[in-house]
Amino acid sequence: MGVVGHSLTLVVLAYNEKPTLEGAIREALEILPSFVESFEILVVDDGSTDGTELLADQLSREHPQVRVIHHPTNRGFSGAMRTGLWNAAGEWVALGPADRQARWGDLARFF
């Protein structure tokens, strides 16, 4: 599959996902360039208290494509989705959980 000329924001919703967040971000960083020209990964930390918030910040320092928004308290899944949609910079937006239940490679079929 070729790279399409659109920008994508992948919104990664995270609430106390420290054990899975890094793998989800690394998977996205590996897969997204194979089918989209430009992208950002927007982590919405929904008031995590387990260190997810610190790990998200570390990943954003290590990878310029990763951006993080922190909720001071948990707003729930729909609250995190709204934040991601309102703050997405890409022409296209995809949302998924940080717990790796969704595989980012499946997004290629939509493009």
Side-chain angles (χ1 to χ4, degrees), residues 17-104:
E17 299 290 352
K18 185 178 179 186
T20 57
L21 179 64
E22 185 169 5
I25 298 303
R26 293 198 186 284
E27 178 185 350
L29 288 166
E30 180 180 315
I31 291 170
L32 294 178
S34 70
F35 66 88
V36 69
E37 187 174 293
S38 65
F39 66 92
E40 70 169 343
I41 300 168
L42 178 58
V43 177
V44 179
D45 166 47
D46 193 24
S48 295
T49 58
D50 71 340
T52 296
E53 65 283 13
L54 301 174
L55 178 57
D57 287 339
Q58 175 188 330
L59 291 167
S60 72
R61 287 190 298 273
E62 293 173 2
H63 305 283
Q65 306 93 329
V66 178
R67 189 164 55 103
V68 181
I69 295 176
H70 297 282
H71 288 169
T73 59
N74 183 269
R75 295 183 189 174
F77 196 71
S78 61
M81 286 191 318
R82 276 193 303 274
T83 294
L85 291 170
W86 287 336
N87 290 279
E91 296 171 86
W92 295 70
V93 180
L95 298 119
D99 63 7
R100 302 191 76 188
Q101 288 184 4
R103 295 291 179 226
W104 308 131

